[in-house]
Amino acid sequence: MVKYLSCAALCFVLAFSACTDRHEVLPPLGNWVMKFAVDSLTFPIGLSIDSAGVMTIHNAEENIRLDSMVCRNDSFFVDMPLFQSSLRGKVWSSDSISGVWQDHSRKDYQIPFYAVPGNITFPGKEARWDTFDVTFSPDSAENMYKAVLKLATDPSEAYVKGTFLTETGDYRYLSGEKNGDSFYLSCFDGSHLFYFQARMSADSIIDGSFYSGKHWSEPWDARKDENAGLHDPDSLTYIVPGSGAFGFSAKNMQGDPVNFGEDQFRDKLTVVQLFGSWCPNCADESRWLSEVYNKYNSQGLQVIPVAFERGDDFEAQKQGVQRLWKSLEMPYQPFIGGRANKGEASQVFPMLNKVMSYPTAIIIDKKGEVRKIHTGFYGPGTGKYYHHHTERLELFLRQLLEE
């Protein structure tokens, strides 16, 4: 019969490697492999536990520290640091933990996991990098879209890492294993659980499947192409001709409507950010915008973030934004535009041809004219792409400040 651990014993085990009171070996400190169960598949994710009882999620080079563990009776609860989700579970034996991930921003959204001691390895500096031209949903004219896969393979051909770049952002830090001609890539950041699997065939990738948690899956394929690219992210969203002066309305954190127009933009360089607290790419962009704001606010830069959140309840929307803002230590006030629905966002910003991505950054000069609209954001998981895009955007902001 399996014995449950008391709250005190569980807290103790996460700080020490063994406990002799119950004559059983408890989970040791060190590395674990979490396996999220979706239908008949398992999505592996790296986990470590340190001597202070702190858990860390590992996605290739990304390390997500979970230091909010709470013990209640025989269970542990850990909130994810940025997003409205949590892990809860039980320690069953010296080599077994199980539980569920719950996304509180979605209704009744849970995915079970179990964890066993082990390591997730990913390629290092000796890896070979390849570039692939990717097509998702290749057999559906309605759902098909393009991407670029940057894939690193270690010299042993056993481990892979990389990311997918799309026209609306990237799939962040992915890592996995290669077995013969088959491979997988996965990551978990508290908002999304991604899993990609496929087979190599000469210079092509075939039989690909992409899973986002338990709510989405689609096929994909690719071919090696070192020159693969996407549309310029500055060209995808634009002001509809004849739509008049730029302006919009959103709610402040007290729920009061605030109108933004000529008076709010005059003599200021403004970045209006469309984002969601549930969106990892938005968190990446928010970190960068915070750094840029701290550099140039004294010269006249202002940032107006407008959140589009899951669900209809304003208080729940506000809590999600406040949680993200506190975690990122953002230096300016956010606003709420409405639900996380691109059609609803387009109603708030009817002068745009469409809202196709969270995040979207609208850059307005000191005269109140929209000078650039940047769709999506390539985060630090994309390496040189992140540095290229952020350097180019910062240079553009500096030029507008000097006008």
Side-chain angles (χ1 to χ4, degrees), residues 185-234:
L185 295 162
S186 62
C187 77
F188 170 67
D189 56 28
S191 181
H192 294 97
L193 174 64
F194 290 146
Y195 182 78
F196 301 82
Q197 64 179 11
R199 292 194 301 116
M200 295 284 190
S201 178
D203 285 342
S204 296
I205 296 175
I206 61 174
D207 299 333
S209 297
F210 163 44
Y211 300 85
S212 180
K214 65 179 184 179
H215 63 278
W216 177 256
S217 66
E218 63 181 326
W220 65 282
D221 57 32
R223 57 180 178 81
K224 188 179 293 186
D225 182 356
E226 295 303 318
N227 297 314
L230 300 167
H231 289 103
D232 184 346
D234 296 339

Side-chain angles (χ1 to χ4, degrees), residues 20-81:
T20 58
D21 291 345
R22 300 182 56 156
H23 307 290
E24 59 186 7
V25 179
L26 300 177
L29 310 179
N31 297 322
W32 294 72
V33 177
M34 302 176 70
K35 298 186 178 182
F36 291 88
V38 178
D39 296 329
S40 60
L41 299 171
T42 56
F43 303 172
I45 302 295
L47 171 72
S48 63
I49 302 173
D50 69 17
S51 60
V54 173
M55 295 180 175
T56 301
I57 300 290
H58 303 283
N59 299 309
E61 291 88 356
E62 179 185 47
N63 301 306
I64 303 174
R65 182 180 170 88
L66 312 180
D67 56 6
S68 63
M69 187 184 71
V70 174
C71 294
R72 295 174 185 168
N73 298 322
D74 56 10
S75 300
F76 68 88
F77 301 81
V78 184
D79 285 329
M80 298 301 296

Side-chain angles (χ1 to χ4, degrees), residues 101-113:
W101 166 51
Q102 182 168 5
D103 185 345
H104 304 289
S105 70
R106 292 186 173 106
K107 185 177 180 180
D108 301 325
Y109 197 94
Q110 296 182 358
I111 295 180
F113 72 86

Side-chain angles (χ1 to χ4, degrees), residues 154-331:
D154 80 325
S156 72
E157 297 285 325
Y159 305 106
V160 290
K161 69 176 181 180
T163 194
F164 291 81
L165 293 82
T166 75
E167 291 183 341
T168 59
D170 67 271
Y171 287 118
R172 310 189 83 249
Y173 298 88
L174 302 166
S175 63
E177 297 183 353
K178 189 170 181 287
N179 183 7
D181 62 356
S182 299
F183 71 96
Y184 77 84
L185 295 162
S186 62
C187 77
F188 170 67
D189 56 28
S191 181
H192 294 97
L193 174 64
F194 290 146
Y195 182 78
F196 301 82
Q197 64 179 11
R199 292 194 301 116
M200 295 284 190
S201 178
D203 285 342
S204 296
I205 296 175
I206 61 174
D207 299 333
S209 297
F210 163 44
Y211 300 85
S212 180
K214 65 179 184 179
H215 63 278
W216 177 256
S217 66
E218 63 181 326
W220 65 282
D221 57 32
R223 57 180 178 81
K224 188 179 293 186
D225 182 356
E226 295 303 318
N227 297 314
L230 300 167
H231 289 103
D232 184 346
D234 296 339
S235 69
L236 300 172
T237 306
Y238 53 86
I239 298 293
V240 176
S243 58
F246 180 82
F248 64 94
S249 178
K251 292 181 179 179
N252 62 22
M253 300 307 282
Q254 290 71 48
D256 302 318
V258 180
N259 295 319
F260 294 91
E262 182 180 354
D263 291 342
Q264 286 73 30
F265 305 140
R266 183 183 295 116
D267 299 325
K268 291 280 190 178
L269 173 60
T270 304
V271 179
V272 176
Q273 180 199 29
L274 283 63
F275 79 103
S277 68
W278 45 268
C279 164
N281 286 154
C282 299
D284 288 338
E285 184 182 67
S286 295
R287 290 187 183 96
W288 177 75
L289 281 174
S290 176
E291 294 175 5
V292 171
Y293 174 88
N294 288 330
K295 281 185 183 180
Y296 303 113
N297 173 244
S298 62
Q299 300 177 40
L301 174 67
Q302 66 176 351
V303 180
I304 302 174
V306 183
F308 291 88
E309 296 295 295
R310 290 173 175 159
D312 297 314
D313 182 70
F314 177 80
E315 288 301 315
Q317 294 174 345
K318 182 174 75 172
Q319 289 175 12
V321 174
Q322 288 176 329
R323 178 182 180 133
L324 178 69
W325 241 234
K326 181 179 179 180
S327 297
L328 296 181
E329 299 180 346
M330 299 300 290

